[in-house]
Amino acid sequence: IFSVSSEVETACTDGVRIIFGVKFLDSLSDEELDFVMMHEILHVVLRHCARTGERDHFLFNVATDIVVNSNILLEAGSRESA
């Protein structure tokens, strides 16, 4: 489920919905939108929201962003070298 909210600054997911900030969404190029969509979808697929538990939210988010972005960039690199 995708939605837009004036209360969201960039983009986020609760594990079910992917929510975009209105201004942020308007500012993205098609390529940037593709990246952000892949980023949020990977958070859902990898069940990061369900795995947060009692962890520090900020640190867990940074760590999972590293995992997600690394996978996106790795996949993009393998497509370019093919």
Side-chain angles (χ1 to χ4, degrees):
I1 299 171
F2 299 100
S3 62
V4 181
S5 171
S6 59
E7 296 178 21
V8 172
E9 191 172 322
T10 57
C12 63
T13 183
D14 60 7
V16 176
R17 297 174 302 146
I18 295 175
I19 308 160
F20 290 91
V22 176
K23 291 180 182 177
F24 179 70
L25 184 59
D26 287 342
S27 74
L28 297 175
S29 68
D30 288 347
E31 186 175 274
E32 291 168 330
L33 178 58
D34 287 347
F35 189 93
V36 174
M37 292 276 290
M38 287 186 282
H39 178 97
E40 297 303 332
I41 289 168
L42 274 173
H43 277 306
V44 174
V45 168
L46 296 171
R47 299 179 33 86
H48 287 157
C49 293
R51 297 169 56 201
T52 304
E54 298 297 318
R55 295 177 178 95
D56 178 283
H57 177 75
F58 176 79
L59 292 178
F60 187 73
N61 189 54
V62 170
T64 59
D65 280 350
I66 290 169
V67 169
V68 164
N69 290 341
S70 297
N71 278 287
I72 293 169
L73 295 173
L74 181 65
E75 177 60 26
S78 32
R79 279 189 266 142
E80 288 177 8
S81 62

